[in-house]
Amino acid sequence: MRLGLVVSGKGSNLRNLVEGGFDVVAVATNRPSCGAASYARERAIPLGELSLKRFSSEEERDAAMRDFFASHRVELVVDAGYDRIHTRPFLEAYRGRIINVHPSLLPQFGGRMDAVAQALRSGVNVTGATAHLVTENLDAGPIIAQEAVPVMEDDTEETLRRRIHEAEYRILPEAIRLLEARLAESPAVGQ
Ligand code: GRF
């Protein structure tokens, strides 16, 4: 399926999907200076630079994101390190077709940006990564794939994050394939 990625960070999941042969037809970002945006430019993937300051509200920005993806005939959206919450105009257009990847075993350490630091602070010896459907309920949409990741005694945030990323590179492609298979059995967008 034609994938649209929404990114704000380094872009290693974006890179992993592109190199894994996924059909990434458009990338939208709220942070045009992020590493993921640079990677999209390098690969000549159409990039929607949608900083909030260009719009009068989040809804207006999200309507522009929806229109940008629609113009590239995006069928499935992947939030790969997006640090904002989608508002209604976007959620409604892509309901049931947005996957997010989160660096913990949801529902543990959900709803916040610092799930890796939280895992370290809490003293758990297992955390992980989750790919789930995005709904209005932050980090609480149906789970598609998860992988547990051990926390080592001498882990720093950086070493743990790296190990979690490795799990993400496996579960995000898996979740996309699973959702693609499910959607292939249902009518396409707009039909
Ligand atoms: C990932 O850890 C993801 O779980 C979280 O943001 C990070 C994005 O990393 N939502 P990258 O930009 O793909 O390298």
Side-chain angles (χ1 to χ4, degrees):
M1 276 188 181
R2 298 172 66 81
L3 302 187
L5 263 70
V6 192
V7 297
S8 313
K10 290 208 173 82
S12 66
N13 279 287
L14 165 64
R15 180 186 294 266
N16 184 57
L17 292 176
V18 170
E19 290 176 358
F22 284 89
D23 189 17
V24 179
V25 298
V27 173
T29 187
N30 58 327
R31 302 191 189 283
S33 61
C34 74
S38 310
Y39 180 75
R41 285 185 204 100
E42 237 171 70
R43 302 292 298 229
I45 302 169
L47 177 66
E49 302 189 17
L50 304 170
S51 306
L52 190 55
K53 59 177 190 267
R54 287 182 44 206
F55 302 92
S56 60
S57 68
E58 297 212 339
E59 281 76 10
E60 202 182 290
R61 191 261 308 281
D62 287 6
M65 193 181 292
R66 172 198 63 203
D67 295 345
F68 169 66
F69 277 173
S71 73
H72 290 283
R73 292 179 288 120
V74 165
E75 296 168 289
L76 192 66
V77 174
V78 181
D79 289 348
Y82 183 45
D83 64 5
R84 285 288 169 268
I85 296 167
H86 296 296
T87 59
R88 197 170 278 267
F90 193 84
L91 276 177
E92 279 176 357
Y94 283 101
R95 189 169 293 286
R97 290 171 176 267
I98 311 173
I99 296 178
N100 180 45
V101 61
H102 185 83
S104 75
L105 284 180
L106 288 173
Q108 206 175 27
F109 310 129
R112 289 176 47 170
M113 287 300 296
D114 60 349
V116 179
Q118 268 187 293
L120 268 184
R121 271 201 304 273
S122 72
V124 290
N125 50 26
V126 177
T127 181
T130 302
H132 65 96
L133 274 184
V134 174
T135 64
E136 277 84 357
N137 303 322
L138 181 62
D139 291 336
I143 290 170
I144 309 175
Q146 277 186 314
E147 187 176 315
V149 172
V151 182
M152 308 300 187
E153 247 172 49
D154 57 353
D155 261 338
T156 61
E157 215 178 301
E158 197 194 322
T159 56
L160 181 56
R161 191 179 302 282
R162 207 174 305 141
R163 201 172 308 118
I164 292 174
H165 261 119
E166 293 298 327
E168 292 181 351
Y169 304 152
R170 289 185 285 272
I171 64 163
L172 188 54
E174 180 194 343
I176 294 169
R177 286 192 199 101
L178 284 169
L179 186 59
E180 281 179 344
R182 198 186 310 161
L183 290 172
E185 293 163 12
S186 61
V189 182
Q191 290 185 356

Short mmCIF file of all heavy atoms in Angstrom, two decimals, residues 9-14 80-81 101-103 165 168, ligand 1:
data_model
loop_
_atom_site.label_atom_id
_atom_site.label_comp_id
_atom_site.label_asym_id
_atom_site.label_seq_id
_atom_site.Cartn_x
_atom_site.Cartn_y
_atom_site.Cartn_z
N GLY A 9 11.35 13.35 14.37
CA GLY A 9 12.62 13.05 15.02
C GLY A 9 13.75 12.68 14.09
O GLY A 9 13.87 13.21 12.98
N LYS A 10 14.54 11.72 14.54
CA LYS A 10 15.76 11.35 13.81
C LYS A 10 15.44 10.64 12.50
O LYS A 10 16.20 10.71 11.55
CB LYS A 10 16.60 10.42 14.67
CG LYS A 10 17.22 11.09 15.87
CD LYS A 10 18.52 10.37 16.26
CE LYS A 10 19.26 11.11 17.34
NZ LYS A 10 18.72 10.82 18.68
N GLY A 11 14.37 9.85 12.48
CA GLY A 11 13.95 9.23 11.24
C GLY A 11 14.51 7.84 11.00
O GLY A 11 14.50 7.36 9.86
N SER A 12 14.95 7.17 12.07
CA SER A 12 15.51 5.84 11.81
C SER A 12 14.43 4.84 11.41
O SER A 12 14.68 3.92 10.63
CB SER A 12 16.33 5.34 13.00
OG SER A 12 15.52 5.13 14.11
N ASN A 13 13.21 5.00 11.93
CA ASN A 13 12.13 4.10 11.48
C ASN A 13 11.75 4.38 10.03
O ASN A 13 11.47 3.45 9.27
CB ASN A 13 10.90 4.23 12.40
CG ASN A 13 11.05 3.43 13.67
OD1 ASN A 13 10.96 2.20 13.67
ND2 ASN A 13 11.30 4.12 14.78
N LEU A 14 11.74 5.65 9.66
CA LEU A 14 11.48 6.01 8.26
C LEU A 14 12.52 5.33 7.35
O LEU A 14 12.18 4.67 6.37
CB LEU A 14 11.55 7.54 8.10
CG LEU A 14 11.67 8.07 6.68
CD1 LEU A 14 10.44 7.73 5.85
CD2 LEU A 14 11.86 9.60 6.69
N ALA A 80 5.83 7.69 12.75
CA ALA A 80 7.13 7.09 13.08
C ALA A 80 7.96 8.14 13.80
O ALA A 80 8.82 8.78 13.21
CB ALA A 80 7.82 6.60 11.81
N GLY A 81 7.65 8.35 15.08
CA GLY A 81 8.34 9.36 15.84
C GLY A 81 7.69 10.73 15.65
O GLY A 81 8.37 11.74 15.55
N VAL A 101 4.12 3.92 16.51
CA VAL A 101 5.07 3.06 17.22
C VAL A 101 5.49 3.79 18.49
O VAL A 101 5.80 4.98 18.47
CB VAL A 101 6.27 2.65 16.33
CG1 VAL A 101 7.08 3.85 15.85
CG2 VAL A 101 7.15 1.64 17.04
N HIS A 102 5.43 3.05 19.60
CA HIS A 102 5.69 3.65 20.92
C HIS A 102 6.76 2.84 21.64
O HIS A 102 6.71 1.60 21.63
CB HIS A 102 4.38 3.67 21.72
CG HIS A 102 4.51 4.37 23.04
ND1 HIS A 102 4.40 5.74 23.16
CD2 HIS A 102 4.75 3.90 24.29
CE1 HIS A 102 4.56 6.08 24.43
NE2 HIS A 102 4.78 4.98 25.13
N PRO A 103 7.71 3.51 22.30
CA PRO A 103 8.84 2.77 22.90
C PRO A 103 8.57 2.20 24.29
O PRO A 103 9.33 2.47 25.24
CB PRO A 103 9.95 3.83 22.92
CG PRO A 103 9.22 5.11 23.10
CD PRO A 103 7.89 4.95 22.40
N HIS A 165 14.79 0.54 19.81
CA HIS A 165 14.70 0.85 18.39
C HIS A 165 14.84 -0.42 17.54
O HIS A 165 14.13 -0.60 16.56
CB HIS A 165 15.79 1.85 17.99
CG HIS A 165 15.29 3.26 17.91
ND1 HIS A 165 15.77 4.28 18.70
CD2 HIS A 165 14.35 3.83 17.13
CE1 HIS A 165 15.14 5.40 18.39
NE2 HIS A 165 14.28 5.16 17.44
N GLU A 168 11.68 -2.00 17.40
CA GLU A 168 10.76 -1.24 16.54
C GLU A 168 10.97 -1.56 15.07
O GLU A 168 10.01 -1.64 14.30
CB GLU A 168 10.94 0.27 16.77
CG GLU A 168 10.49 0.72 18.15
CD GLU A 168 10.64 2.21 18.37
OE1 GLU A 168 11.24 2.92 17.54
OE2 GLU A 168 10.15 2.68 19.41
C1 GRF B 1 10.76 5.88 18.42
O1 GRF B 1 11.39 5.39 19.56
C2 GRF B 1 9.27 5.79 18.55
O2 GRF B 1 8.86 4.73 19.37
C3 GRF B 1 8.90 7.09 19.18
O3 GRF B 1 9.77 8.02 18.61
C4 GRF B 1 11.00 7.37 18.23
C5 GRF B 1 11.28 7.72 16.79
O4 GRF B 1 12.58 7.38 16.39
N1 GRF B 1 7.49 7.38 18.99
P1 GRF B 1 13.07 7.65 14.90
O5 GRF B 1 12.82 9.11 14.60
O6 GRF B 1 12.28 6.75 14.00
O7 GRF B 1 14.53 7.32 14.90
#
